[in-house]
Amino acid sequence: MTDTATAARPKIVIIGAGFGGLAAAREFAGKPVDVTLIDKRNYHLFQPLLYQVATADLSPADIAWPIRSIFRDAANIRVVLGKVTGIDEASQSVETSEGPVPYDHLIIANGAGNAYFGHDDWPVHAPGLKTVVDATTVRRNILLAFERAETAADEAERHRQLTFVIIGGGPTGVEMAGAIAELARVALARDFRQIDPRAANVVLVEGGPRILPALSDDLSAYARQALEKLGVEVHTGTMVENIDAEGVTVGGARIPAATVIWGAGVGVHGTAEWLDTKPERGGRIAVGADLTLPDHPEIRVIGDAAAVAWPQGPGENATVPGIAPAAKQEGKYVAKAILATISGKPSKPFKYRHAGNLATIGRHSAVVDLDRFKLTGWPAWWFWGLAHIYFLIGVRAASLVLLQWFWTYLTRRKGARLITGVTTEAHPVRESETKR
Ligand SMILES: Cc1cc2nc3c(=O)[nH]c(=O)nc-3n(C[C@H](O)[C@H](O)[C@H](O)COP(=O)(O)OP(=O)(O)OC[C@H]3O[C@@H](n4cnc5c(N)ncnc54)[C@H](O)[C@@H]3O)c2cc1C
């Protein structure tokens, strides 16, 4: 796969066209380097809005863009659809399903997937929310549960079908819980004859002492109250003990539930094996202050796949959080650092600028925790919406399309209430894209 015409220019390979990889590739556009951007998917996915696909607010195509079209005008960036399977550090080559790709500088930005803490039987019963397939599987499970409740033979089964358990009280769990509660209480409220969707039980289970632990105590308490106002049952300090086809066992209690959603664990898959190194917690790869690997100044790891020290962060040994702005900052930084290295200039260590944390709670509320101010309720929701539009514009320039998205969201047009795949299985089936 080597292009002999440009063999003299430095070869940069980027693994992953997520937030980090995309930001890096953009910096290289038009520069005197040849970039190969490898991704196992042909699209960049805006993960923060996956929960809206899972709850039928948006279609997958609303939050995913073909990587090729993003770099249409960047002649020095080649996009390869292929799965990375290994890295040969000695010969400086990335092994992919499409053959080897040589590099002078390598940026690893392959992100994170779901982690089930060794419970290999749980993913099939409790899909996570990391990919489009995850989101459409969850959407299917949720919508099927209402359908099955409508035709359930007895009250116990109806109750089980109308019980939705979300494991994990981080932003994904909180956003999912709020969105399912609103789906049941507003969008579906008048669509059924035998059941009242408003009677759905939405249960959020968090092992730690409070939900949204990355936010301040008062915002976390606010979020809990706001969820409870929407009818969500919130259990904190409660560990999940088992998940099977019939429901979950949490904190010693059995909850019969047809739909269980996993938002509790994040893990980096494959990267440590590729580099033959011992990973940090969650499979992340420890990098130095310049985001390079020890002993390998030509290899950089960024985004969710990297464990980057954050001296200004909360607590001892804090690391940069696994959020999109961090991946973007790191992507930009490593691209600039590589260009500096190529032209023989020094570069400063990476310094993370933390903008804050935000999470929505249904359509009318959110919590925003920024350095300078905090917001709750409706103003926070607007802040969240505008922040996401700003972010989305970074991916796709067509602002009219973005405004349309916002309008769709505001007007509650649940345009994506489709159950795809088999609808006659006894239990929702799951395609397994998250097993990377
Ligand atoms: C449901 C959800 C909600 C979130 N909400 C927010 C939010 O509101 N705000 C926020 O800031 N952050 C949020 N995040 C976190 C944010 O999405 C991540 O921090 C960010 O995507 C990390 O960027 P990345 O570039 O490291 O990885 P990713 O964006 O995950 O990209 C990794 C890329 O690598 C590719 N890849 C992986 N393995 C291979 C392989 N073997 N071969 C080839 N390609 C490969 C993948 O296909 C993918 O395109 C959310 C995440 C999720 C899952």
Side-chain angles (χ1 to χ4, degrees), residues 130-143:
K130 285 281 174 197
T131 65
V132 165
V133 173
D134 286 342
T136 51
T137 301
V138 169
R139 179 181 74 186
R140 180 175 180 282
N141 292 0
I142 293 171
L143 296 177

Side-chain angles (χ1 to χ4, degrees), residues 15-22 38-41 43-51 67 82-85 108-112 114 129-131 171-172 175 266 269 274 302-306 321-328 330 356 358-359 384 388 391 436:
I15 303 174
F19 285 101
L22 212 59
I38 309 170
D39 203 296
K40 61 182 180 179
R41 304 190 291 231
Y43 54 86
H44 166 78
L45 178 64
F46 194 85
Q47 287 179 342
L49 292 179
L50 265 179
Y51 83 95
I67 302 163
K83 185 169 179 170
V84 171
T85 53
I108 302 176
N110 61 318
N114 296 306
L129 204 59
K130 285 281 174 197
T131 65
T172 300
E175 291 184 336
V266 171
H269 303 280
W274 298 343
I302 61 170
D304 284 4
I323 54 175
K328 285 178 83 167
E330 289 166 9
L358 27 160
W384 171 89
H388 279 73
F391 237 113
R436 316 197 222 189

